[in-house]
């Protein structure tokens, strides 16, 4: 008789265990971003890197691309890109500063977004004196041509 009561008790416990909802606690995701240096000159390459905590590739619907945006000191958008994170949640992106949009010296902001999380970092951008003088001369020449 004791054997049957024990067996019934185990059966009831298993029944409730199977029917009870499973509660899963997932740690919130965060994202980080950084650059390889704090300061860059025009023409250099910026290595932007970062990682996503609690990154899980098991559900492809929940794997997003990292949205990257670089803003100059005058709030102009210099670069927008989407980066697919690696299987462990890290990402790398190279930015070439030789383009024509890189024309202001000062502090630039890098923002990254992944789902509901975001992060930012800042770096300094320097335009060498020779280039700055050439740009000023070109602007003066353009103004003179318009006035004529």
């Amino acid at each position: 008789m004791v054997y049957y009561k024990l067996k019934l008790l185990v059966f009831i416990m298993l029944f409730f265990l199977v029917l009870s909802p499973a509660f899963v606690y997932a740690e919130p995701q965060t994202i980080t971003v950084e650059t390889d240096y704090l300061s860059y000159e025009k023409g250099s390459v910026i290595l932007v890197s970062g990682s996503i905590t609690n990154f899980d590739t098991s559900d492809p619907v929940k794997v997003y691309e990292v949205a990257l945006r670089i803003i100059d000191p005058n709030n102009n958008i210099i670069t927008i890109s989407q980066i697919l994170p690696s299987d462990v949640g890290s990402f790398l992106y190279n930015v070439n500063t030789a383009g024509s949009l890189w024309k202001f010296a000062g502090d630039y902001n890098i923002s990254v977004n992944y789902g509901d999380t975001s992060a930012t970092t800042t770096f300094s951008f320097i335009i060498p004196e020779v280039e700055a003088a050439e740009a000023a001369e070109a602007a003066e020449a353009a103004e003179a041509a318009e006035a004529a």
Side-chain angles (χ1 to χ4, degrees):
M1 181 74 174
V2 173
Y3 174 72
Y4 292 112
K5 286 184 180 180
L6 185 61
K7 191 174 180 182
L8 181 62
L9 181 63
V10 169
F11 177 75
I12 290 172
M13 288 174 59
L14 286 174
F15 178 76
F16 283 113
L17 182 66
V18 169
L19 290 181
S20 67
F23 294 101
V24 177
Y25 176 73
E27 290 285 327
Q29 288 184 319
T30 59
I31 189 168
T32 62
V33 63
E34 60 185 20
T35 58
D36 53 342
Y37 298 105
L38 297 175
S39 180
Y40 299 90
E41 282 191 5
K42 182 154 178 82
S44 60
V45 175
I46 303 169
L47 176 64
V48 179
S49 63
S51 63
I52 303 160
T53 60
N54 303 314
F55 186 73
D56 182 15
T57 59
S58 64
D59 186 358
V61 175
K62 294 183 179 179
V63 175
Y64 314 107
E65 290 183 340
V66 174
L68 176 135
R69 193 174 59 220
I70 299 179
I71 308 292
D72 76 7
N74 296 335
N75 284 330
N76 297 314
I77 297 174
I78 302 302
T79 301
I80 294 179
S81 189
Q82 291 180 282
I83 310 159
L84 188 62
S86 71
D87 290 342
V88 295
S90 61
F91 60 92
L92 293 171
Y93 187 72
N94 288 318
V95 181
N96 189 341
T97 64
S100 62
L101 295 176
W102 296 87
K103 54 188 172 187
F104 299 110
D107 291 337
Y108 282 63
N109 292 315
I110 299 176
S111 300
V112 291
N113 296 76
Y114 181 80
D116 294 336
T117 64
S118 62
T120 60
T121 190
T122 303
F123 65 90
S124 295
F125 186 67
I126 301 165
I127 299 177
E129 295 293 326
V130 173
E131 275 192 40
E134 288 174 357
E137 287 175 15
E140 287 176 12
E143 287 177 14
E146 286 179 13

